PDB file of all heavy atoms in Angstrom:
ATOM      1  N   ALA A 133     -12.988 -19.161  10.559  1.00 98.00           N
ATOM      2  CA  ALA A 133     -12.841 -17.853   9.920  1.00 98.00           C
ATOM      3  C   ALA A 133     -12.188 -16.914  10.921  1.00 98.00           C
ATOM      4  O   ALA A 133     -12.679 -16.753  12.043  1.00 98.00           O
ATOM      5  CB  ALA A 133     -14.194 -17.312   9.486  1.00 98.00           C
ATOM      6  N   VAL A 134     -11.061 -16.303  10.537  1.00 98.00           N
ATOM      7  CA  VAL A 134     -10.297 -15.443  11.449  1.00 98.00           C
ATOM      8  C   VAL A 134      -9.929 -14.162  10.729  1.00 98.00           C
ATOM      9  O   VAL A 134      -9.528 -14.182   9.558  1.00 98.00           O
ATOM     10  CB  VAL A 134      -9.007 -16.142  11.929  1.00 98.00           C
ATOM     11  CG1 VAL A 134      -8.291 -15.269  12.959  1.00 98.00           C
ATOM     12  CG2 VAL A 134      -9.294 -17.512  12.508  1.00 98.00           C
ATOM     13  N   ASP A 135     -10.046 -13.025  11.431  1.00 98.00           N
ATOM     14  CA  ASP A 135      -9.580 -11.760  10.872  1.00 98.00           C
ATOM     15  C   ASP A 135      -8.099 -11.877  10.522  1.00 98.00           C
ATOM     16  O   ASP A 135      -7.294 -12.361  11.335  1.00 98.00           O
ATOM     17  CB  ASP A 135      -9.765 -10.631  11.879  1.00 98.00           C
ATOM     18  CG  ASP A 135     -11.229 -10.257  12.079  1.00 98.00           C
ATOM     19  OD1 ASP A 135     -12.098 -10.934  11.500  1.00 98.00           O
ATOM     20  OD2 ASP A 135     -11.485  -9.290  12.821  1.00 98.00           O
ATOM     21  N   ALA A 136      -7.720 -11.434   9.352  1.00 98.00           N
ATOM     22  CA  ALA A 136      -6.332 -11.556   8.900  1.00 98.00           C
ATOM     23  C   ALA A 136      -5.362 -10.840   9.831  1.00 98.00           C
ATOM     24  O   ALA A 136      -4.189 -11.232   9.933  1.00 98.00           O
ATOM     25  CB  ALA A 136      -6.207 -11.016   7.481  1.00 98.00           C
ATOM     26  N   ASP A 137      -5.823  -9.805  10.531  1.00 98.00           N
ATOM     27  CA  ASP A 137      -4.957  -9.056  11.447  1.00 98.00           C
ATOM     28  C   ASP A 137      -4.474  -9.891  12.624  1.00 98.00           C
ATOM     29  O   ASP A 137      -3.534  -9.492  13.327  1.00 98.00           O
ATOM     30  CB  ASP A 137      -5.680  -7.823  11.986  1.00 98.00           C
ATOM     31  CG  ASP A 137      -5.839  -6.731  10.944  1.00 98.00           C
ATOM     32  OD1 ASP A 137      -5.142  -6.795   9.909  1.00 98.00           O
ATOM     33  OD2 ASP A 137      -6.656  -5.815  11.162  1.00 98.00           O
ATOM     34  N   TYR A 138      -5.116 -11.047  12.873  1.00 98.00           N
ATOM     35  CA  TYR A 138      -4.734 -11.893  13.993  1.00 98.00           C
ATOM     36  C   TYR A 138      -3.856 -13.070  13.565  1.00 98.00           C
ATOM     37  O   TYR A 138      -3.489 -13.902  14.399  1.00 98.00           O
ATOM     38  CB  TYR A 138      -5.989 -12.444  14.689  1.00 98.00           C
ATOM     39  CG  TYR A 138      -6.940 -11.389  15.189  1.00 98.00           C
ATOM     40  CD1 TYR A 138      -8.314 -11.546  15.062  1.00 98.00           C
ATOM     41  CD2 TYR A 138      -6.467 -10.222  15.795  1.00 98.00           C
ATOM     42  CE1 TYR A 138      -9.193 -10.580  15.525  1.00 98.00           C
ATOM     43  CE2 TYR A 138      -7.343  -9.247  16.258  1.00 98.00           C
ATOM     44  CZ  TYR A 138      -8.714  -9.438  16.115  1.00 98.00           C
ATOM     45  OH  TYR A 138      -9.578  -8.474  16.575  1.00 98.00           O
ATOM     46  N   VAL A 139      -3.513 -13.153  12.298  1.00 98.00           N
ATOM     47  CA  VAL A 139      -2.862 -14.338  11.741  1.00 98.00           C
ATOM     48  C   VAL A 139      -1.423 -14.009  11.336  1.00 98.00           C
ATOM     49  O   VAL A 139      -1.117 -12.883  10.949  1.00 98.00           O
ATOM     50  CB  VAL A 139      -3.650 -14.861  10.518  1.00 98.00           C
ATOM     51  CG1 VAL A 139      -3.011 -16.122   9.946  1.00 98.00           C
ATOM     52  CG2 VAL A 139      -5.109 -15.133  10.905  1.00 98.00           C
ATOM     53  N   ALA A 140      -0.549 -15.012  11.419  1.00 98.00           N
ATOM     54  CA  ALA A 140       0.832 -14.866  10.949  1.00 98.00           C
ATOM     55  C   ALA A 140       1.246 -16.130  10.211  1.00 98.00           C
ATOM     56  O   ALA A 140       0.686 -17.212  10.437  1.00 98.00           O
ATOM     57  CB  ALA A 140       1.784 -14.611  12.120  1.00 98.00           C
ATOM     58  N   GLN A 141       2.225 -15.978   9.324  1.00 98.00           N
ATOM     59  CA  GLN A 141       2.794 -17.134   8.659  1.00 98.00           C
ATOM     60  C   GLN A 141       3.466 -18.033   9.706  1.00 98.00           C
ATOM     61  O   GLN A 141       4.113 -17.555  10.630  1.00 98.00           O
ATOM     62  CB  GLN A 141       3.833 -16.713   7.619  1.00 98.00           C
ATOM     63  CG  GLN A 141       3.300 -15.775   6.534  1.00 98.00           C
ATOM     64  CD  GLN A 141       2.474 -16.496   5.479  1.00 98.00           C
ATOM     65  OE1 GLN A 141       2.411 -17.724   5.444  1.00 98.00           O
ATOM     66  NE2 GLN A 141       1.844 -15.722   4.596  1.00 98.00           N
ATOM     67  N   MET A 142       3.328 -19.340   9.557  1.00 98.00           N
ATOM     68  CA  MET A 142       3.957 -20.275  10.469  1.00 98.00           C
ATOM     69  C   MET A 142       5.472 -20.176  10.390  1.00 98.00           C
ATOM     70  O   MET A 142       6.023 -19.970   9.316  1.00 98.00           O
ATOM     71  CB  MET A 142       3.558 -21.713  10.112  1.00 98.00           C
ATOM     72  CG  MET A 142       2.537 -22.331  11.021  1.00 98.00           C
ATOM     73  SD  MET A 142       2.029 -23.979  10.447  1.00 98.00           S
ATOM     74  CE  MET A 142       3.593 -24.825  10.237  1.00 98.00           C
ATOM     75  N   PRO A 143       6.182 -20.320  11.506  1.00 98.00           N
ATOM     76  CA  PRO A 143       7.642 -20.400  11.452  1.00 98.00           C
ATOM     77  C   PRO A 143       8.080 -21.557  10.548  1.00 98.00           C
ATOM     78  O   PRO A 143       7.520 -22.657  10.617  1.00 98.00           O
ATOM     79  CB  PRO A 143       8.036 -20.666  12.908  1.00 98.00           C
ATOM     80  CG  PRO A 143       6.904 -20.097  13.707  1.00 98.00           C
ATOM     81  CD  PRO A 143       5.675 -20.355  12.892  1.00 98.00           C
ATOM     82  N   GLU A 144       9.076 -21.306   9.722  1.00 97.00           N
ATOM     83  CA  GLU A 144       9.475 -22.296   8.736  1.00 97.00           C
ATOM     84  C   GLU A 144      10.065 -23.551   9.355  1.00 97.00           C
ATOM     85  O   GLU A 144      10.019 -24.628   8.747  1.00 97.00           O
ATOM     86  CB  GLU A 144      10.484 -21.678   7.760  1.00 97.00           C
ATOM     87  CG  GLU A 144       9.875 -20.590   6.873  1.00 97.00           C
ATOM     88  CD  GLU A 144      10.864 -20.049   5.858  1.00 97.00           C
ATOM     89  OE1 GLU A 144      12.042 -20.485   5.886  1.00 97.00           O
ATOM     90  OE2 GLU A 144      10.463 -19.202   5.028  1.00 97.00           O
ATOM     91  N   ASN A 145      10.592 -23.440  10.571  1.00 97.00           N
ATOM     92  CA  ASN A 145      11.247 -24.587  11.192  1.00 97.00           C
ATOM     93  C   ASN A 145      10.319 -25.438  12.053  1.00 97.00           C
ATOM     94  O   ASN A 145      10.767 -26.399  12.680  1.00 97.00           O
ATOM     95  CB  ASN A 145      12.436 -24.132  12.049  1.00 97.00           C
ATOM     96  CG  ASN A 145      12.015 -23.202  13.176  1.00 97.00           C
ATOM     97  OD1 ASN A 145      11.342 -22.195  12.944  1.00 97.00           O
ATOM     98  ND2 ASN A 145      12.419 -23.512  14.394  1.00 97.00           N
ATOM     99  N   LEU A 146       9.026 -25.090  12.095  1.00 98.00           N
ATOM    100  CA  LEU A 146       8.102 -25.826  12.948  1.00 98.00           C
ATOM    101  C   LEU A 146       7.103 -26.641  12.137  1.00 98.00           C
ATOM    102  O   LEU A 146       6.677 -26.232  11.058  1.00 98.00           O
ATOM    103  CB  LEU A 146       7.324 -24.873  13.863  1.00 98.00           C
ATOM    104  CG  LEU A 146       8.123 -24.034  14.861  1.00 98.00           C
ATOM    105  CD1 LEU A 146       7.177 -23.310  15.812  1.00 98.00           C
ATOM    106  CD2 LEU A 146       9.122 -24.875  15.639  1.00 98.00           C
ATOM    107  N   SER A 147       6.700 -27.785  12.699  1.00 97.00           N
ATOM    108  CA  SER A 147       5.615 -28.584  12.141  1.00 97.00           C
ATOM    109  C   SER A 147       4.284 -27.957  12.548  1.00 97.00           C
ATOM    110  O   SER A 147       4.235 -27.032  13.371  1.00 97.00           O
ATOM    111  CB  SER A 147       5.695 -30.013  12.683  1.00 97.00           C
ATOM    112  OG  SER A 147       5.453 -30.021  14.088  1.00 97.00           O
ATOM    113  N   PHE A 148       3.182 -28.478  11.998  1.00 98.00           N
ATOM    114  CA  PHE A 148       1.869 -27.976  12.408  1.00 98.00           C
ATOM    115  C   PHE A 148       1.665 -28.169  13.909  1.00 98.00           C
ATOM    116  O   PHE A 148       1.133 -27.290  14.595  1.00 98.00           O
ATOM    117  CB  PHE A 148       0.750 -28.691  11.639  1.00 98.00           C
ATOM    118  CG  PHE A 148       0.573 -28.209  10.231  1.00 98.00           C
ATOM    119  CD1 PHE A 148       0.811 -29.058   9.164  1.00 98.00           C
ATOM    120  CD2 PHE A 148       0.167 -26.918   9.961  1.00 98.00           C
ATOM    121  CE1 PHE A 148       0.648 -28.628   7.847  1.00 98.00           C
ATOM    122  CE2 PHE A 148      -0.004 -26.463   8.654  1.00 98.00           C
ATOM    123  CZ  PHE A 148       0.246 -27.332   7.601  1.00 98.00           C
ATOM    124  N   ALA A 149       2.078 -29.315  14.429  1.00 97.00           N
ATOM    125  CA  ALA A 149       1.906 -29.589  15.856  1.00 97.00           C
ATOM    126  C   ALA A 149       2.717 -28.602  16.693  1.00 97.00           C
ATOM    127  O   ALA A 149       2.205 -28.021  17.664  1.00 97.00           O
ATOM    128  CB  ALA A 149       2.320 -31.024  16.170  1.00 97.00           C
ATOM    129  N   GLN A 150       3.954 -28.395  16.336  1.00 97.00           N
ATOM    130  CA  GLN A 150       4.790 -27.463  17.095  1.00 97.00           C
ATOM    131  C   GLN A 150       4.260 -26.036  17.007  1.00 97.00           C
ATOM    132  O   GLN A 150       4.241 -25.305  18.003  1.00 97.00           O
ATOM    133  CB  GLN A 150       6.225 -27.528  16.579  1.00 97.00           C
ATOM    134  CG  GLN A 150       6.935 -28.839  16.885  1.00 97.00           C
ATOM    135  CD  GLN A 150       8.256 -28.942  16.151  1.00 97.00           C
ATOM    136  OE1 GLN A 150       8.384 -28.529  14.992  1.00 97.00           O
ATOM    137  NE2 GLN A 150       9.260 -29.503  16.813  1.00 97.00           N
ATOM    138  N   ALA A 151       3.803 -25.644  15.831  1.00 98.00           N
ATOM    139  CA  ALA A 151       3.305 -24.275  15.657  1.00 98.00           C
ATOM    140  C   ALA A 151       2.050 -24.026  16.480  1.00 98.00           C
ATOM    141  O   ALA A 151       1.852 -22.927  17.016  1.00 98.00           O
ATOM    142  CB  ALA A 151       3.033 -24.002  14.182  1.00 98.00           C
ATOM    143  N   ALA A 152       1.191 -25.024  16.606  1.00 98.00           N
ATOM    144  CA  ALA A 152      -0.042 -24.858  17.375  1.00 98.00           C
ATOM    145  C   ALA A 152       0.224 -24.668  18.857  1.00 98.00           C
ATOM    146  O   ALA A 152      -0.643 -24.195  19.598  1.00 98.00           O
ATOM    147  CB  ALA A 152      -0.951 -26.076  17.167  1.00 98.00           C
ATOM    148  N   ALA A 153       1.429 -25.017  19.310  1.00 97.00           N
ATOM    149  CA  ALA A 153       1.789 -24.874  20.711  1.00 97.00           C
ATOM    150  C   ALA A 153       2.210 -23.464  21.077  1.00 97.00           C
ATOM    151  O   ALA A 153       2.436 -23.170  22.255  1.00 97.00           O
ATOM    152  CB  ALA A 153       2.923 -25.850  21.047  1.00 97.00           C
ATOM    153  N   VAL A 154       2.307 -22.571  20.106  1.00 98.00           N
ATOM    154  CA  VAL A 154       2.984 -21.293  20.319  1.00 98.00           C
ATOM    155  C   VAL A 154       2.088 -20.079  20.527  1.00 98.00           C
ATOM    156  O   VAL A 154       2.366 -19.253  21.413  1.00 98.00           O
ATOM    157  CB  VAL A 154       3.952 -21.013  19.147  1.00 98.00           C
ATOM    158  CG1 VAL A 154       4.521 -19.600  19.213  1.00 98.00           C
ATOM    159  CG2 VAL A 154       5.064 -22.048  19.116  1.00 98.00           C
ATOM    160  N   PRO A 155       1.016 -19.844  19.751  1.00 98.00           N
ATOM    161  CA  PRO A 155       0.402 -18.506  19.710  1.00 98.00           C
ATOM    162  C   PRO A 155      -0.013 -17.915  21.052  1.00 98.00           C
ATOM    163  O   PRO A 155       0.377 -16.786  21.374  1.00 98.00           O
ATOM    164  CB  PRO A 155      -0.811 -18.710  18.787  1.00 98.00           C
ATOM    165  CG  PRO A 155      -0.397 -19.823  17.889  1.00 98.00           C
ATOM    166  CD  PRO A 155       0.397 -20.755  18.759  1.00 98.00           C
ATOM    167  N   LEU A 156      -0.806 -18.623  21.838  1.00 97.00           N
ATOM    168  CA  LEU A 156      -1.293 -18.043  23.084  1.00 97.00           C
ATOM    169  C   LEU A 156      -0.142 -17.770  24.047  1.00 97.00           C
ATOM    170  O   LEU A 156      -0.051 -16.692  24.634  1.00 97.00           O
ATOM    171  CB  LEU A 156      -2.333 -18.958  23.727  1.00 97.00           C
ATOM    172  CG  LEU A 156      -3.083 -18.382  24.928  1.00 97.00           C
ATOM    173  CD1 LEU A 156      -4.513 -18.905  24.964  1.00 97.00           C
ATOM    174  CD2 LEU A 156      -2.397 -18.730  26.241  1.00 97.00           C
ATOM    175  N   SER A 157       0.759 -18.729  24.196  1.00 97.00           N
ATOM    176  CA  SER A 157       1.880 -18.555  25.119  1.00 97.00           C
ATOM    177  C   SER A 157       2.835 -17.476  24.630  1.00 97.00           C
ATOM    178  O   SER A 157       3.325 -16.654  25.421  1.00 97.00           O
ATOM    179  CB  SER A 157       2.633 -19.882  25.280  1.00 97.00           C
ATOM    180  OG  SER A 157       1.800 -20.879  25.819  1.00 97.00           O
ATOM    181  N   GLY A 158       3.116 -17.474  23.333  1.00 97.00           N
ATOM    182  CA  GLY A 158       4.023 -16.477  22.778  1.00 97.00           C
ATOM    183  C   GLY A 158       3.496 -15.069  22.947  1.00 97.00           C
ATOM    184  O   GLY A 158       4.235 -14.147  23.329  1.00 97.00           O
ATOM    185  N   LEU A 159       2.217 -14.871  22.664  1.00 98.00           N
ATOM    186  CA  LEU A 159       1.623 -13.541  22.819  1.00 98.00           C
ATOM    187  C   LEU A 159       1.554 -13.138  24.286  1.00 98.00           C
ATOM    188  O   LEU A 159       1.752 -11.965  24.634  1.00 98.00           O
ATOM    189  CB  LEU A 159       0.222 -13.512  22.200  1.00 98.00           C
ATOM    190  CG  LEU A 159       0.172 -13.585  20.681  1.00 98.00           C
ATOM    191  CD1 LEU A 159      -1.272 -13.721  20.198  1.00 98.00           C
ATOM    192  CD2 LEU A 159       0.819 -12.356  20.038  1.00 98.00           C
ATOM    193  N   THR A 160       1.289 -14.095  25.158  1.00 98.00           N
ATOM    194  CA  THR A 160       1.194 -13.782  26.585  1.00 98.00           C
ATOM    195  C   THR A 160       2.515 -13.278  27.136  1.00 98.00           C
ATOM    196  O   THR A 160       2.572 -12.231  27.795  1.00 98.00           O
ATOM    197  CB  THR A 160       0.740 -15.024  27.373  1.00 98.00           C
ATOM    198  OG1 THR A 160      -0.559 -15.431  26.921  1.00 98.00           O
ATOM    199  CG2 THR A 160       0.656 -14.711  28.867  1.00 98.00           C
ATOM    200  N   ILE A 161       3.597 -13.999  26.893  1.00 98.00           N
ATOM    201  CA  ILE A 161       4.881 -13.566  27.446  1.00 98.00           C
ATOM    202  C   ILE A 161       5.333 -12.263  26.793  1.00 98.00           C
ATOM    203  O   ILE A 161       5.908 -11.392  27.460  1.00 98.00           O
ATOM    204  CB  ILE A 161       5.959 -14.670  27.311  1.00 98.00           C
ATOM    205  CG1 ILE A 161       7.234 -14.256  28.043  1.00 98.00           C
ATOM    206  CG2 ILE A 161       6.252 -14.996  25.861  1.00 98.00           C
ATOM    207  CD1 ILE A 161       7.064 -14.035  29.531  1.00 98.00           C
ATOM    208  N   MET A 162       5.052 -12.087  25.514  1.00 98.00           N
ATOM    209  CA  MET A 162       5.437 -10.836  24.855  1.00 98.00           C
ATOM    210  C   MET A 162       4.687  -9.652  25.469  1.00 98.00           C
ATOM    211  O   MET A 162       5.277  -8.601  25.764  1.00 98.00           O
ATOM    212  CB  MET A 162       5.162 -10.912  23.353  1.00 98.00           C
ATOM    213  CG  MET A 162       5.483  -9.621  22.619  1.00 98.00           C
ATOM    214  SD  MET A 162       5.349  -9.762  20.830  1.00 98.00           S
ATOM    215  CE  MET A 162       6.855 -10.671  20.485  1.00 98.00           C
ATOM    216  N   GLN A 163       3.393  -9.808  25.723  1.00 98.00           N
ATOM    217  CA  GLN A 163       2.606  -8.717  26.283  1.00 98.00           C
ATOM    218  C   GLN A 163       2.964  -8.440  27.735  1.00 98.00           C
ATOM    219  O   GLN A 163       2.929  -7.287  28.193  1.00 98.00           O
ATOM    220  CB  GLN A 163       1.113  -9.019  26.105  1.00 98.00           C
ATOM    221  CG  GLN A 163       0.690  -8.936  24.649  1.00 98.00           C
ATOM    222  CD  GLN A 163      -0.721  -9.422  24.372  1.00 98.00           C
ATOM    223  OE1 GLN A 163      -1.559  -9.499  25.275  1.00 98.00           O
ATOM    224  NE2 GLN A 163      -1.008  -9.761  23.116  1.00 98.00           N
ATOM    225  N   ILE A 164       3.351  -9.484  28.467  1.00 98.00           N
ATOM    226  CA  ILE A 164       3.809  -9.266  29.843  1.00 98.00           C
ATOM    227  C   ILE A 164       5.096  -8.449  29.854  1.00 98.00           C
ATOM    228  O   ILE A 164       5.231  -7.470  30.600  1.00 98.00           O
ATOM    229  CB  ILE A 164       4.026 -10.616  30.558  1.00 98.00           C
ATOM    230  CG1 ILE A 164       2.681 -11.271  30.885  1.00 98.00           C
ATOM    231  CG2 ILE A 164       4.829 -10.411  31.851  1.00 98.00           C
ATOM    232  CD1 ILE A 164       2.803 -12.661  31.454  1.00 98.00           C
ATOM    233  N   LEU A 165       6.049  -8.844  29.033  1.00 98.00           N
ATOM    234  CA  LEU A 165       7.335  -8.149  29.035  1.00 98.00           C
ATOM    235  C   LEU A 165       7.205  -6.727  28.505  1.00 98.00           C
ATOM    236  O   LEU A 165       7.913  -5.819  28.961  1.00 98.00           O
ATOM    237  CB  LEU A 165       8.360  -8.935  28.222  1.00 98.00           C
ATOM    238  CG  LEU A 165       8.722 -10.327  28.763  1.00 98.00           C
ATOM    239  CD1 LEU A 165       9.881 -10.923  27.981  1.00 98.00           C
ATOM    240  CD2 LEU A 165       9.041 -10.295  30.257  1.00 98.00           C
ATOM    241  N   GLN A 166       6.294  -6.502  27.569  1.00 97.00           N
ATOM    242  CA  GLN A 166       6.056  -5.134  27.109  1.00 97.00           C
ATOM    243  C   GLN A 166       5.430  -4.285  28.216  1.00 97.00           C
ATOM    244  O   GLN A 166       5.662  -3.075  28.290  1.00 97.00           O
ATOM    245  CB  GLN A 166       5.154  -5.141  25.872  1.00 97.00           C
ATOM    246  CG  GLN A 166       5.848  -5.620  24.606  1.00 97.00           C
ATOM    247  CD  GLN A 166       4.977  -5.498  23.376  1.00 97.00           C
ATOM    248  OE1 GLN A 166       3.764  -5.312  23.469  1.00 97.00           O
ATOM    249  NE2 GLN A 166       5.577  -5.614  22.205  1.00 97.00           N
ATOM    250  N   MET A 167       4.658  -4.922  29.086  1.00 96.00           N
ATOM    251  CA  MET A 167       4.003  -4.198  30.171  1.00 96.00           C
ATOM    252  C   MET A 167       4.991  -3.838  31.283  1.00 96.00           C
ATOM    253  O   MET A 167       4.994  -2.708  31.791  1.00 96.00           O
ATOM    254  CB  MET A 167       2.860  -5.043  30.739  1.00 96.00           C
ATOM    255  CG  MET A 167       2.086  -4.378  31.847  1.00 96.00           C
ATOM    256  SD  MET A 167       0.556  -5.252  32.242  1.00 96.00           S
ATOM    257  CE  MET A 167       1.196  -6.821  32.818  1.00 96.00           C
TER     258      MET A 167
END
């Protein structure tokens, strides 16, 4: 069970396996560069 505010639609070009590799790393680099 996850708050909807933390969820996004999967990228259309990725499989489930590829998509699972992204969230933590993607958010980390985005937040670093914003900082």
Side-chain angles (χ1 to χ4, degrees):
V134 184
D135 289 5
D137 288 344
Y138 303 140
V139 182
Q141 302 283 351
M142 256 175 52
E144 293 183 357
N145 61 307
L146 298 188
S147 66
F148 283 116
Q150 291 170 321
V154 171
L156 189 146
S157 299
L159 290 173
T160 299
I161 187 61
M162 177 173 285
Q163 290 171 20
I164 287 174
L165 296 188
Q166 287 185 345
M167 181 168 63

